[in-house]
C-alpha cells in the first residue's frame, strides 16, 4: 500500500455507496448528524423519529441532495413491535440492512423518590428495549449477508452516573451491556456492534434537560450549563453532532472491522476523570 496515497475509502470515495442504514431517532440532534454523515458517504438512509411533516420533508430533500435514497418511517419505538417493524420493513423494501444505528432516546430528570414510574418504564423501553428489538430483527439479514455494523448511541452516562437520572443512567449502562453481548455473539459473522458514548452535545434533548435540571436543583439556566453540565466536561464546550456523526461513519466503514464491543467516549475528557 502506498502510504503517500491513502486508501480511497478513507478519503474521496463514498465508502458506504449502495449500503442501507437505518437510524432510529434521526429527525433531530445526534441521529440526524449521524444520518447526514452516513448519507454523505453514500449510504441510503431510513430516517425515523417525530417531527412536523414539513420539517421531515425538508430533511429528506436536503439529504437527498447527497445523491442517496432517503425515506422516513414514523414508527413509534415505544409501541409494541414498532422497533422490530421499522427494521423488518426496511429489509423488506431494500432487501438488506448494512448499518443499524440505535440512537432514539429520551431523558427525565428527577429525584428517585418522585421519579414518575411511567417515565422510568418509557426510558427503559426506548433507550434500551428498542435497541434489543432492532438488533434482534436485523440479525438474520446481517448474518445471511455476512456483514453488518451496529452502532448504539449510549452516553457518558453509560459509564458514570449523575444524580437525578436514575432511569437514563440505568438504561445507558444497559446499552453497553447489550453492545458487548451482541459483539461477542456476532464476532465471527462479519458483524460488529459498538457504542458511542457522547458527553453533552447541544441538541433539543439537552435544552429540555437544562430546564428540568434547573427545576430539580433550584438553579438558573446559566448555572445549570456552567455548574452542572459543563462542570463534568473538562473541554468546557458541548460536543457537536458532526463529531458524533464522524465517529459513526468511521465505525460503519471498512477500516473499523476489528473494532467490536467497544464503548467510545466523545465527551471532552469527562469519563477520563
Ligand atoms: P433529540 O431529542 O434531539 O433526538 C431524539 C430523537 O429520537 C428525535 O428524532 C425524536 O423524534 C426521536 N424519538 C423520541 N422518541 C421516539 C420514539 N418513541 N420513537 C421513535 N423516535 C423517537 O436527542 P439527542 O440529544 O439527539 O439524543 C439522541 C441520543 O443521544 C439519545 O439516545 C441520547 O440519550 C443520546 N445522548 C445525547 C446526549 C446529548 O448531550 N445530547 C449525550 C449523550 C447521549
Amino acid at each position: 500500500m502506498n502510504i503517500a496515497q491513502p486508501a480511497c475509502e478513507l478519503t474521496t470515495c463514498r465508502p458506504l455507496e449502495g449500503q442501507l442504514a437505518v437510524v432510529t431517532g434521526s429527525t433531530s440532534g445526534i441521529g440526524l448528524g449521524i444520518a447526514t454523515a452516513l448519507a454523505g458517504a453514500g449510504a441510503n438512509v431510513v430516517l425515523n423519529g417525530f417531527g412536523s411533516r414539513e420539517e421531515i420533508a425538508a430533511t429528506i430533500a436536503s439529504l437527498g441532495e447527497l445523491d442517496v435514497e432517503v425515506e422516513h418511517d414514523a414508527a413509534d419505538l415505544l409501541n409494541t413491535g414498532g422497533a422490530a417493524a421499522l427494521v423488518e420493513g426496511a429489509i423488506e423494501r431494500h432487501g438488506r440492512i448494512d448499518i443499524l444505528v440505535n440512537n432514539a432516546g429520551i431523558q427525565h430528570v428527577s429525584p428517585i423518590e418522585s421519579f414518575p414510574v411511567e417515565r422510568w418504564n418509557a426510558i427503559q423501553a426506548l433507550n434500551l428495549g428498542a435497541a434489543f428489538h432492532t438488533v434482534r430483527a436485523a440479525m438474520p439479514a446481517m448474518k445471511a449477508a455476512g456483514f453488518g455494523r451496529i452502532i448504539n448511541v449510549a452516553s457518558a452516562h453509560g459509564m458514570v452516573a449523575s444524580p437525578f437520572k436514575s432511569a437514563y443512567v440505568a438504561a445507558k449502562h444497559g446499552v453497553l451491556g447489550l453492545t458487548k453481548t451482541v459483539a461477542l455473539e456476532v464476532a465471527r459473522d462479519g458483524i460488529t456492534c459498538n457504542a458511542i458514548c457522547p458527553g453533552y452535545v447541544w441538541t433539543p434533548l439537552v435544552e429540555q434537560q437544562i430546564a428540568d435540571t434547573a427545576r430539580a436543583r433550584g438553579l438558573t439556566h446559566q448555572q445549570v450549563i456552567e455548574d452542572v453540565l459543563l462542570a463534568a466536561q473538562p473541554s468546557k464546550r458541548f460536543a457537536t453532532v458532526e463529531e458524533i456523526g464522524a465517529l459513526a461513519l468511521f465505525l460503519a466503514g471498512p477500516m473499523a472491522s476489528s473494532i467490536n464491543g467497544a464503548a467510545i467516549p466523545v465527551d471532552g475528557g469527562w469519563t477520563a476523570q
Side-chain angles (χ1 to χ4, degrees):
M1 180 177 165
N2 180 354
I3 33 182
Q5 292 180 334
C8 118
E9 63 263 24
L10 287 179
T11 54
T12 53
C13 296
R14 301 193 346 146
L16 309 182
E17 189 77 57
Q19 293 193 9
L20 183 77
V22 175
V23 185
T24 73
S26 46
T27 51
S28 160
I30 291 171
L32 180 54
I34 291 174
T36 304
L38 299 180
N44 299 318
V45 178
V46 178
L47 299 170
N48 159 256
F50 305 140
S52 73
R53 193 187 291 258
E54 295 74 26
E55 280 168 349
I56 291 170
T59 301
I60 291 174
S62 118
L63 291 186
E65 284 173 17
L66 297 167
D67 202 17
V68 293
E69 287 174 35
V70 185
E71 61 190 41
H72 173 250
D73 183 324
D76 181 345
L77 306 187
L78 279 174
N79 280 351
T80 312
L86 168 68
V87 168
E88 287 160 2
I91 294 169
E92 208 173 291
R93 290 190 301 281
H94 297 269
R96 62 193 297 163
I97 178 167
D98 303 278
I99 303 160
L100 168 64
V101 181
N102 286 303
N103 167 78
I106 47 176
Q107 172 65 287
H108 188 84
V109 180
S110 166
I112 194 159
E113 63 272 25
S114 53
F115 207 100
V117 172
E118 163 275 318
R119 287 283 85 199
W120 168 275
N121 290 338
I123 288 172
Q124 303 315 314
L126 182 63
N127 296 18
L128 176 57
F132 162 75
H133 291 294
T134 57
V135 171
R136 186 173 181 276
M139 205 43 70
M142 286 187 173
K143 281 192 173 170
F147 180 83
R149 291 283 191 267
I150 299 165
I151 299 167
N152 296 325
V153 178
S155 170
H157 280 124
M159 299 173 155
V160 295
S162 297
F164 310 121
K165 296 181 180 174
S166 53
Y168 187 86
V169 170
K172 293 297 188 180
H173 275 66
V175 169
L176 295 194
L178 176 69
T179 301
K180 288 188 265 191
T181 306
V182 173
L184 294 179
E185 291 188 25
V186 300
R188 296 182 68 176
D189 293 305
I191 304 168
T192 65
C193 181
N194 292 292
I196 297 177
C197 297
Y200 287 108
V201 186
W202 191 261
T203 68
L205 179 140
V206 161
E207 285 181 60
Q208 176 60 42
Q209 206 181 129
I210 290 170
D212 293 345
T213 305
R215 252 192 313 279
R217 298 198 184 198
L219 300 172
T220 66
H221 192 267
Q222 201 53 31
Q223 282 171 325
V224 172
I225 291 178
E226 286 168 17
D227 302 342
V228 180
L229 303 188
L230 295 184
Q233 204 143 296
S235 58
K236 299 298 170 203
R237 71 166 183 85
F238 289 91
T240 66
V241 299
E242 289 79 12
E243 290 168 346
I244 311 293
L247 177 55
L249 172 56
F250 182 77
L251 289 173
M255 298 307 286
S257 304
S258 293
I259 303 177
N260 194 24
I264 305 176
V266 186
D267 64 4
W270 175 351
T271 52
Q273 298 171 101

